[in-house]
Amino acid sequence: MRLYKLRLASVVEQGSRLYSLPETGWDELLARDDLAQFLEDRIAAGCAESGFTFSPEDLLPPIGRQEVWAAGVTYFRSRSARMEEAKSAGGGSFYDRVYQAERPELFFKATAHRVAGSGQQVRIRSDSHWNVPEPELTLLVASSGRITGYTIGNDMSSRDIEGENPLYLPQAKIYDQCCALGPGILVTNDALDDTTEIDLVIARSGVTVFAGKTSLASMKRRPQVLVEYLFRECSFPHGCFLLTGTGIVPPETFTLQIGDEIRITIEPIGTLINYVR
Ligand code: DO4
Ligand code: MG
């Protein structure tokens, strides 16, 4: 079952049918521990209007008052790329240490104001010359700490700023339209299979300039463990989103340019499409 946020409605896709949920607040839905059951019950009770249709332009980012957090260095590829980028500044060993450590790297990424939805624009910083998208499986976590769904996240990153000094991480990671989420939320109580693939394609004027692939089998940490650390000393009355880290890093010669199209696909969630401006 997939849940979409539109300008005027919350919409559930079940099988090949779309149902709108009038009078159901987005934040109230996302905070729920029993989201899958709640949506199924609403549909079964006839409280959802069927026969609804929408086009991709109607989509909003699937976020309301939730905070967006991110985990880092959860794949070997991210560890190695970051050790290299921070080496000359003397910061290289931090990344290997956090990759091995019991405590994960978790950082605050965005509120809704800085998040783009599918079809919308993400930004690169004007004071950076080396920028990449980070395609990440993203958890929807209820206020209780239970994982109730999955979406796709793009953790836009300025690698030159981060590499100059690890203490610049918040500036490399947090700015307007630094994050994309969408297109919708796969609502399920089941964990995603380890064979689930994450695909990234970057196109420039219609030509692919980078393509990469990974799978959840390469992620070093389990989603529930990341959530357990995040919830240790933070409460989330409206639930939250947690990006789980990137396993795809383009080569050092690559940087995003204005106009690039970024496509991230994770089936069975869908494809998140954004344009750089
Ligand atoms: O430590 C820097 C950020 C790491 C990150 O965002 C990732 O691995 O995805
Ligand atoms: Mg990341």
Side-chain angles (χ1 to χ4, degrees):
M1 187 166 24
R2 296 191 186 105
L3 178 64
Y4 296 99
K5 187 180 192 192
L6 308 185
R7 238 161 278 280
L8 294 174
S10 308
V11 172
V12 184
E13 183 183 42
Q14 195 186 42
S16 57
R17 293 197 75 97
L18 288 171
Y19 301 87
S20 81
L21 295 173
E23 293 158 31
T24 314
W26 191 257
D27 293 330
E28 180 211 322
L29 283 177
L30 266 53
R32 296 191 77 98
D33 194 56
D34 60 346
L35 183 56
Q37 192 61 54
F38 177 80
L39 296 177
E40 271 170 26
D41 291 350
R42 291 291 297 255
I43 292 168
C47 304
E49 293 165 11
S50 66
F52 195 84
T53 54
F54 69 91
S55 57
E57 301 85 71
D58 298 327
L59 281 173
L60 293 180
I63 183 170
R65 296 171 75 186
Q66 295 71 38
E67 293 176 9
V68 182
W69 285 71
V73 200
T74 50
Y75 290 78
F76 193 76
R77 175 73 188 113
S78 178
R79 164 209 170 266
S80 308
R82 290 195 148 90
M83 284 177 76
E84 202 51 42
E85 105 199 337
K87 200 169 58 182
S88 61
S93 73
F94 287 115
Y95 294 105
D96 185 44
R97 277 157 57 189
V98 82
Y99 183 74
Q100 306 292 348
E102 195 177 326
R103 182 187 291 273
E105 177 195 5
L106 294 174
F107 58 93
F108 180 76
K109 177 68 185 172
T111 50
H113 168 70
R114 300 207 163 85
V115 175
S118 193
Q120 298 181 341
Q121 294 174 325
V122 288
R123 289 182 58 254
I124 50 181
R125 292 184 64 114
S126 57
D127 57 358
S128 165
H129 57 79
W130 187 16
N131 292 276
V132 292
E134 295 193 348
E136 307 190 7
L137 175 71
T138 299
L139 315 174
L140 167 64
V141 191
S143 54
S144 66
R146 181 172 189 201
I147 299 170
T148 53
Y150 300 89
T151 187
I152 303 171
N154 178 354
D155 171 24
M156 293 286 288
S157 302
S158 298
R159 293 193 63 191
D160 51 341
I161 295 177
E162 177 186 290
E164 188 180 335
N165 189 324
L167 295 180
Y168 292 155
L169 188 76
Q171 294 176 73
K173 294 285 192 181
I174 307 167
Y175 53 87
D176 289 347
Q177 278 65 65
C178 63
C179 181
L181 293 178
I185 297 169
L186 175 74
V187 178
T188 173
N189 294 322
D190 301 331
L192 294 187
D193 203 88
D194 264 3
T195 56
T196 304
E197 288 190 343
I198 303 177
D199 276 276
L200 168 66
V201 177
I202 305 170
R204 189 165 296 154
S205 308
V207 176
T208 298
V209 287
F210 176 78
K213 194 189 273 292
T214 189
S215 81
L216 298 187
S218 301
M219 187 158 62
K220 182 151 190 283
R221 299 180 189 266
R222 302 325 299 161
Q224 194 53 60
V225 175
L226 297 174
V227 171
E228 192 268 306
Y229 270 94
L230 181 60
F231 274 65
R232 276 190 181 185
E233 292 295 334
C234 288
S235 54
F236 297 94
H238 310 291
C240 68
F241 289 97
L242 176 57
L243 283 73
T244 57
T246 189
I248 304 173
V249 184
E252 295 199 359
T253 48
F254 179 88
T255 186
L256 285 170
Q257 291 180 13
I258 306 287
D260 285 355
E261 180 192 79
I262 305 164
R263 277 180 175 263
I264 306 170
T265 302
I266 308 179
E267 291 303 348
I269 305 169
T271 300
L272 171 66
I273 306 170
N274 295 104
Y275 304 94
V276 178
R277 88 169 159 85

